[in-house]
Amino acid sequence: QIIHFWDSFIGGFFFTAEDGEKLLTRQKEIYDSAIPSGNSVAMLNLLKLAQLTGNQDYEKKADHISRVFAENVRKSPVAHTFLLTAVDYAVGPTYSLVIAGDTGKEDTNNMLSEIKKHFLPNKSLIFRPTEKTGPEIDGFSNFVQFFDKLDGKATAYVCINKTCKVPTNDVNKALEYLSSKV
């Protein structure tokens, strides 16, 4: 996406790839209608990827998107609701929630299911399968490899602005952490 769609002169993502059909102009969408704009979704995804991987280049690109379109947002905030969701994520607090558990086990499924019922836009949910040695997610993230099940049960690790709470097997306790600001 960055290689083929990023505007290296002004910033933001074009609607069409640079190696695609040659058009008179390459548009950049920012207006969030019933479907959020590509730049709004990209901004939030870049912020979450930065949090997951520790790659600050993603965060810098997201910041650049917010600056490129800041004037549009100032003129009409209601037309940029998903972009503002990304801005809210950037401002924080942000929550990383790692669920460490065995794939397909009832306790793991119940915890994931309960968490997904709640609208928590500033949350990054990461599942770390514990039945595997060195699961694939460990290669992408700069911190999840340290999280494992406790007492043989699915465990939630909630981190707020990169500071982690005490791990818990209780989904209600995890939700309590997710409603906390510190």
Side-chain angles (χ1 to χ4, degrees):
Q1 178 179 353
I2 292 170
I3 291 169
H4 293 292
F5 293 87
W6 183 255
D7 180 350
S8 58
F9 296 108
I10 299 172
F13 289 99
F14 287 112
F15 192 70
T16 55
E18 50 81 30
D19 64 346
E21 180 183 355
K22 299 300 178 210
L23 303 172
L24 292 174
T25 62
R26 290 175 67 201
Q27 291 181 284
K28 279 190 240 173
E29 297 294 328
I30 192 58
Y31 176 76
D32 293 324
S33 58
I35 298 173
S37 76
N39 276 290
S40 297
V41 173
M43 182 178 168
L44 184 58
N45 287 343
L46 286 166
L47 290 166
K48 288 185 176 193
L49 280 169
Q51 184 180 22
L52 173 66
T53 65
N55 183 338
Q56 295 310 302
D57 290 339
Y58 294 140
E59 191 170 348
K60 289 175 186 172
K61 287 259 191 278
D63 181 62
H64 204 86
I65 291 170
S66 71
R67 293 172 191 278
V68 166
F69 299 111
E71 190 56 37
N72 295 53
V73 175
R74 268 189 220 98
K75 288 179 182 175
S76 182
V78 296
H80 303 90
T81 53
F82 202 83
L83 185 81
L84 289 171
T85 298
V87 169
D88 184 55
Y89 187 94
V91 172
T94 56
Y95 302 86
S96 294
L97 171 59
V98 178
I99 304 293
D102 291 338
T103 306
K105 291 278 179 117
E106 185 176 354
D107 61 335
T108 303
N109 289 344
N110 288 343
M111 190 172 278
L112 287 166
S113 177
E114 188 60 35
I115 294 293
K116 289 177 182 178
K117 289 178 185 177
H118 300 270
F119 178 68
L120 303 163
N122 285 16
K123 163 191 62 72
S124 292
L125 175 60
I126 303 157
F127 172 62
R128 182 172 189 275
T130 54
E131 75 277 4
K132 300 176 184 177
T133 302
E136 193 173 358
I137 190 67
D138 288 1
F140 294 106
S141 173
N142 65 341
F143 67 96
V144 299
Q145 65 271 23
F146 304 110
F147 299 148
D148 206 349
K149 293 183 299 193
L150 295 180
D151 302 324
K153 299 177 190 168
T155 304
Y157 294 83
V158 178
C159 304
I160 304 169
N161 293 332
K162 300 180 184 178
T163 301
C164 297
K165 299 287 191 181
V166 175
T168 183
N169 304 110
D170 180 359
V171 71
N172 292 319
K173 187 68 172 172
L175 288 167
E176 182 184 315
Y177 290 157
L178 290 167
S179 65
S180 169
K181 298 291 184 199
V182 289

